[in-house]
Amino acid sequence: MENSITFSHTNLIARDWRKLAKFYIEVFDCKPTYPERDIKEQWIDKMCALEDVHLQGVHLQLPGFENGPTLEIFEYNKKGEDHQIQINDLGFSHIAFHVENVDSVLQKLLDHGGTMYGKIVEAEVKGKGMLKAVYTKDPEGNIIEIQNWSQ
C-alpha cells in the first residue's frame, strides 16, 4: 500500500505572531483557522529538541484554498538567532503570492509595514508567458514574492 502524501503547511517563526498574522491577513487575504495554538507540553520539547518550550500562534488559510495548505505563524518563548534574510541564503528562501495587480498589492504591503527588497520586473519567460514580479519583505524581514503571470 502506497502512502498518501499532501502538503500541510509552511511555518514562519515571528518576533510577534499576532502582528505578523495580522499583516498576512490584511495584505494577502489569508484567513485564520482556529483554534489558535498555545502549546507548553513535554511532547513539544521533545519534538523541538529544546527545553521548556512555549509556543503560540495561528494557522492562516492561504488564499485560493478552502482546506488546503496553511501558513503557520508561531512565536517561541525563547527566541533563536536573528539575522537579515537574503534571497540567496541556503534553505527556504521566500513565499510567493500570485495576484491580479502587482502594483496595488505592493502598495498595500508597503502601507502595512512591509518593505521593498528588489525592483519590479516585467519579463517574457519563454514557454510560460509574461511575468510581472517583485521581491518584498514583511515587517519582520521575511521575503515575499508578489507575482502575476499573463499570456
Side-chain angles (χ1 to χ4, degrees), residues 98-102 104-105 147-148:
H98 184 271
V99 302
E100 286 185 38
N101 187 311
V102 170
S104 67
V105 174
Q147 61 173 234
N148 176 275

Side-chain angles (χ1 to χ4, degrees), residues 12 20-34 58-65 69-73 95-97 108 144:
L12 188 57
L20 197 58
K22 182 178 179 188
F23 171 85
Y24 282 93
I25 290 166
E26 292 179 351
V27 175
F28 294 106
D29 298 325
C30 295
K31 306 281 186 250
T33 64
Y34 297 104
V58 68
H59 281 255
L60 300 178
Q61 186 65 62
L62 294 167
F65 296 93
T70 60
L71 180 60
E72 176 185 69
I73 299 180
I95 60 173
F97 290 91
K108 196 173 185 182
I144 304 167

Side-chain angles (χ1 to χ4, degrees), residues 40-55:
K40 187 174 181 158
E41 309 268 346
Q42 283 187 344
W43 66 263
I44 198 70
D45 290 1
K46 290 177 184 176
M47 189 171 170
C48 295
L50 296 170
E51 293 181 10
D52 299 318
V53 171
H54 182 196
L55 60 85

